[in-house]
């Protein structure tokens, strides 16, 4: 029983990381039709910024805030500098993000080395607590809590604010929003900032979860982010939330109860099976 | 016909003849290659360049000809390499039989996975192919039952003696060249066939093809399987060239580098992807040796740190290409010509 609880909570923690990556990806794709391959790079930037701040005795909450801020700035710079000049060429936008996704991890490993750096986990979060007989690491709770906060904030933002309304309308029909005289470009920068912040937060928390940061972390998390986005239905934050829980749990349980690595495989097989039954994902949005 | 017209028509044949004769040349190309052209080291690099030129050409069948953005091409390449390598080392099969079966594995895998992933269109397709390739990559790296060699890779044994060793590099080079020629011919033939016309239609406007009463799914699957087959063949040649299989060829970064090659050279053109593949492979090797040399080590750290990472330079170069050179290297002459014409019109 205690193993099941531990695996469940760990799976939820992993799912929380996936959600943080996937929510931004999904919004960016839904609004702009850009598959952001630089999202993993944003995550890595956030991870390294958090690591840097945490190892310079910022204190963990402040370091996380710093990492998120750096990631947000990087995302805004990416959007304004590289994506905006290519608005009429969606395929080139994807290609430009591919280039950034290759270059940034290479740059990070040039500066801080290709090997993993130990993440200074604060003492409060390094311990465990007892849940139904299982001793569960505290950091799993932090991850799940952060993902829930981000989910709630996104829900409120999309549902209750004017900018959120523009984003939602843009996801449905961008041409119509433009025809109504609303400058969708501002919303583009906004979703990039939100996505970048969530990804960078995921980066900082991934440091906590794995206990280390390395330059390739971003791209490996990004791939499962893609899986979650497709399973949840492109452009849907709610769908991503459901899918990330499923993916995280299946991965953990399958990895534990069969040989390691089979969990990652089973996630992909699940994706294939889902697409055979419902080509448009869980929420039925068209790709 | 006068000489320039003949040259314009037959220059690919001329280039091919020169390429075939290269192993007999002792021409030194300082800066471009380490040793003279005919030396084993240079031939090995040239052969790699040719293989990647062929791979990029095959990949462009999807990207530039049919408009399919696949992020899983590495899987079919790795299927060729690993299936052949496994049959050679673990089953002790004859090389030619193993190569044929390896190729068949690539065909079967691309047909199976293509038929699933083509149920999605556009970006969804890209993500699904990526997910499949990732699954393959995980499988190879986790090393089930100790067969794939995991992170270490697989050293091929039982290769024909005429294809092993430094003294036989020229043979490998010719095989790489043959692979390139086969790929170019297959792509050219397929693109000109009636199916190729439909691919062009799918690339321009898939809905319109449907309205004409054709089902794009089947046509796209043919393109996918053909491209997968060519990739698997390239994988077999790569196995010969490097004497084994490495897990790096299964990763998504490998597919992304193919994408970079195609875009760098010029997507949807006859020789563009080839040029891109050759340039990328050459640059990657030269930059890596440059990074280890004294010229870089003497620079201040602001310059030295980014320059020591070939992937950073290539990524940056790629972004610049996407911006400044939308048609890639192959589109360069036409761009220069139109610029000259428009300037002439202004004067």
């Amino acid at each position: 029983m205690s193993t099941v609880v531990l695996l469940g909570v760990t799976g939820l923690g992993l799912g929380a990381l996936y959600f943080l990556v996937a929510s931004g990806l999904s919004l960016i794709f839904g609004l702009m039709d850009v598959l952001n391959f630089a999202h993993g790079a944003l995550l890595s930037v956030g991870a390294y910024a958090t690591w840097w701040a945490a190892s310079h005795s910022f204190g963990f909450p402040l370091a996380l805030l710093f990492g998120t801020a750096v990631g947000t700035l990087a995302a805004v710079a990416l959007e304004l500098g590289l994506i905006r000049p290519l608005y009429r060429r969606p395929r080139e936008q994807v290609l430009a993000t591919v280039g950034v996704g290759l270059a940034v991890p290479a740059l990070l490993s040039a500066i801080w080395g290709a090997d993993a750096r130990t993440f200074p986990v604060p003492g409060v979060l390094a311990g465990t607590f007892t849940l139904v007989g299982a001793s569960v690491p505290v950091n799993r709770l932090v991850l799940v809590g952060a993902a829930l906060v981000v989910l709630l904030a996104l829900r409120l933002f999309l549902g209750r604010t004017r900018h959120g309304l523009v984003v939602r309308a843009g996801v449905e029909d961008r041409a119509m929003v433009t025809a109504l005289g609303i400058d969708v470009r501002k919303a583009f920068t906004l979703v990039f900032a939100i996505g970048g912040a969530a990804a960078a937060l995921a980066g900082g928390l991934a440091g906590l979860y794995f206990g280390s940061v390395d330059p390739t972390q971003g791209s490996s998390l990004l791939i499962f982010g893609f899986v979650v986005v497709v399973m949840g239905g492109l452009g849907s934050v709610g769908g991503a939330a459901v899918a990330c829980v499923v993916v995280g749990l299946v991965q953990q349980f399958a990895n534990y109860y069969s040989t390691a690595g089979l969990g990652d495989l089973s996630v992909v097989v699940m994706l294939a099976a889902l697409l055979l039954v419902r080509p448009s994902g869980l929420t039925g949005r068209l790709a | 016909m006068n000489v320039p017209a003949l040259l314009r028509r037959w220059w690919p044949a001329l280039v091919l003849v020169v390429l075939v004769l290269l192993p007999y040349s002792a021409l030194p190309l300082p800066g471009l290659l380490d040793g003279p052209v005919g030396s084993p080291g240079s031939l090995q690099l040239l052969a790699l360049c040719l293989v990647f030129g062929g791979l990029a050409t095959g990949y462009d069948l999807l990207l530039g000809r049919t408009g399919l953005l696949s992020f899983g091409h590495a899987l079919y390449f790795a299927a060729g390499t690993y299936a052949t390598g496994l049959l050679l080392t673990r089953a002790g099969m004859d090389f030619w039989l193993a190569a044929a079966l390896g190729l068949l594995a690539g065909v079967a895998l691309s047909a199976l996975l293509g038929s699933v992933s083509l149920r999605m269109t556009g970006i969804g397709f890209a993500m699904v192919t990526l997910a499949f390739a990732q699954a393959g990559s995980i499988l190879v790296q986790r090393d089930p039952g100790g067969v794939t060699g995991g992170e270490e890779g697989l050293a091929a044994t039982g290769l024909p003696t005429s294809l092993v060793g430094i003294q036989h590099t020229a043979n490998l080079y010719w095989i790489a060249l043959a692979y390139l020629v086969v790929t170019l011919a297959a792509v050219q033939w397929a693109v000109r066939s009636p199916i190729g016309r439909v691919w062009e239609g799918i690339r321009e406007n898939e809905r319109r093809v449907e309205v004409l009463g054709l089902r794009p799914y089947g046509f796209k699957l043919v393109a996918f399987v053909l491209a997968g087959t060519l990739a698997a063949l390239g994988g077999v040649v790569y196995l010969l060239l490097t004497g084994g299989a490495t897990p790096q060829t299964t990763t998504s970064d490998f597919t992304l580098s193919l994408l970079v090659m195609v875009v760098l050279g010029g997507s949807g053109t006859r020789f563009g992807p080839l040029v891109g593949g050759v340039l990328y492979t050459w640059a990657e090797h030269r930059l890596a040796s440059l990074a280890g040399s004294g010229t870089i080590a003497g620079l201040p750290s602001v310059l030295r740190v980014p320059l020591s990472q070939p992937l950073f330079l290539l990524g940056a170069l790629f972004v610049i290409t996407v911006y400044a050179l939308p048609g890639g290297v192959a589109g360069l002459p036409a761009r220069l010509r139109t610029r000259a014409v428009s300037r002439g019109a202004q004067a």
Side-chain angles (χ1 to χ4, degrees):
Chain A
M1 185 62 201
S2 64
T3 318
V4 173
V5 172
L6 179 62
L7 284 175
V9 178
T10 307
L12 285 180
L14 198 60
L17 278 185
Y18 293 157
F19 173 74
L20 291 175
V21 177
S23 55
L25 270 180
S26 194
L27 271 185
I28 291 170
F29 181 78
L31 187 66
M32 307 169 64
D33 293 331
V34 175
L35 184 57
N36 185 19
F37 267 88
H39 221 67
L42 293 175
L43 188 146
S44 294
V45 167
Y48 271 87
T50 310
W51 165 77
W52 182 84
S55 37
H56 283 74
S57 60
F58 266 61
F60 185 72
L62 213 58
L64 203 58
L65 199 67
F66 175 76
T68 310
V70 170
T72 314
L73 284 180
V76 170
L78 175 69
E79 206 280 326
L80 292 180
L82 285 179
I83 310 291
R84 179 158 289 199
L86 296 172
Y87 272 164
R88 303 233 159 252
R89 293 149 63 192
R91 176 160 282 190
E92 269 86 348
Q93 287 180 327
V94 177
L95 295 178
T97 64
V98 168
V100 174
L102 286 177
V104 169
L107 190 62
L108 288 175
S109 71
I111 300 173
W112 285 293
D115 297 328
R117 294 293 185 115
T118 316
F119 192 87
V121 178
V124 192
L125 301 176
T128 57
F129 67 98
T130 317
L131 183 78
V132 207
S135 55
V136 180
V138 179
N139 62 42
R140 308 289 191 266
L141 280 193
V142 179
L143 263 76
V144 175
L148 284 178
V149 168
V150 169
L151 174 62
L152 194 69
L154 272 177
R155 286 257 149 192
L156 285 177
F157 166 74
L158 288 173
R160 297 290 168 86
T161 66
R162 193 183 147 70
H163 290 295
L165 183 69
V166 172
V167 171
R168 269 191 302 147
V171 171
E172 291 295 329
D173 190 341
R174 194 168 69 198
M176 192 65 198
V177 178
T178 318
L180 288 171
I182 295 164
D183 188 4
V184 195
R185 296 175 170 219
K186 281 186 191 133
F188 287 176
T189 316
L190 190 63
V191 290
F192 246 89
I194 294 173
L201 181 63
L205 293 174
L208 193 64
Y209 181 88
F210 296 113
S212 63
V213 287
D214 70 82
T216 59
Q217 232 165 32
S219 24
S220 50
L221 279 172
L222 178 67
I223 287 173
F224 288 103
F226 282 151
V227 171
V228 167
V229 170
V230 176
M231 284 178 80
L234 299 158
S236 154
V237 173
V242 177
C244 74
V245 172
V246 176
V247 169
L249 287 178
V250 167
Q251 205 177 353
Q252 278 303 318
F253 277 95
N255 267 342
Y256 183 80
Y257 285 109
S258 60
T259 46
L262 207 70
D264 308 14
L265 276 185
S266 59
V267 166
V268 176
V269 173
M270 204 164 64
L271 172 71
L274 179 71
L275 289 176
L276 278 172
V277 186
R278 295 184 64 142
S280 47
L282 284 174
T283 52
R285 276 173 183 278
L286 285 174
Chain B
M1 270 207 263
N2 49 7
V3 174
L6 268 176
L7 208 62
R8 210 172 300 146
R9 183 160 166 68
W10 291 104
W11 69 266
L14 202 68
V15 171
L16 180 62
V17 170
V18 171
L19 284 176
V20 168
L21 295 178
L22 270 191
Y24 299 111
S25 155
L27 187 72
L29 291 174
L32 293 179
L33 293 171
D34 271 334
V37 175
S39 67
S42 303
L43 277 183
Q44 172 86 10
L45 177 55
L46 285 173
L48 269 181
C49 287
L50 295 178
V51 168
F52 279 99
L55 269 180
T57 306
Y59 181 64
D60 195 43
L61 198 61
L62 296 177
L63 184 72
R65 306 292 189 169
T66 321
L68 291 171
L69 187 58
S70 159
F71 280 112
H73 212 58
L75 183 61
Y76 310 106
F77 176 81
T81 320
Y82 270 95
T84 311
L86 286 178
L87 289 174
L88 274 176
T89 49
R90 310 284 178 218
M93 231 174 239
D94 172 57
F95 170 71
W96 298 106
L97 184 61
L101 287 177
L103 187 61
L104 208 63
V107 177
L109 197 64
S110 57
L112 179 72
L113 298 184
S115 59
V116 175
S117 35
L118 281 168
R119 287 173 62 90
M120 302 284 282
T121 52
I123 294 297
F125 170 77
M127 291 191 192
V128 176
T129 49
L130 178 70
F132 280 136
Q134 191 61 20
S137 181
I138 294 167
L139 195 65
V140 166
Q141 298 200 11
R142 293 297 161 101
D143 196 10
V147 288
T148 63
E151 308 261 324
E152 308 273 299
L154 191 71
T157 52
L159 294 171
T161 43
S162 59
L163 299 176
V164 182
I166 205 158
Q167 68 277 25
H168 293 124
T169 312
N171 294 346
L172 295 175
Y173 169 82
W174 282 316
I175 287 180
L177 184 60
Y179 165 68
L180 176 64
V181 171
V182 165
T183 306
L184 275 176
V187 168
Q188 198 56 30
W189 170 78
V191 165
R192 287 195 177 178
S193 70
I195 294 181
R197 307 273 176 217
V198 182
W199 289 343
E200 203 180 334
I202 292 172
R203 185 190 64 193
E204 297 301 329
N205 190 335
E206 191 167 340
R207 181 62 56 81
R208 199 171 284 177
V209 172
E210 278 176 45
V211 172
L212 286 172
L214 298 168
R215 280 191 60 203
Y217 180 83
F219 291 97
K220 289 197 283 191
L221 189 57
V222 171
F224 196 84
V225 174
L226 181 58
T229 309
L230 290 173
L233 189 61
V236 176
V237 176
Y238 186 79
L239 177 84
L240 281 177
L241 259 182
T242 58
T246 58
Q248 278 79 38
T249 58
T250 63
T251 58
S252 55
D253 277 356
F254 187 81
T255 307
L256 291 184
S257 66
L258 286 183
L259 182 70
V260 172
M261 290 172 199
V262 169
V263 174
L264 197 67
S267 177
T269 57
R270 188 188 298 180
F271 296 115
L274 161 62
V275 172
V278 170
L279 274 182
Y280 182 98
T281 313
W282 174 80
E284 199 183 15
H285 281 81
R286 292 304 297 176
L287 288 175
S289 60
L290 198 68
S293 73
T295 21
I296 297 275
L299 289 171
S301 67
V302 184
L303 285 173
R304 190 193 68 229
V305 168
L307 285 181
S308 63
Q309 283 286 335
L311 210 52
F312 172 74
L313 290 177
L314 287 169
L317 179 69
F318 179 59
V319 173
I320 293 169
T321 312
V322 168
Y323 271 90
L325 212 65
V329 176
L332 200 57
R335 280 174 76 86
L336 292 176
R337 222 173 294 139
T338 46
R339 190 167 292 174
V341 167
S342 62
R343 225 175 253 160
Q346 278 169 5

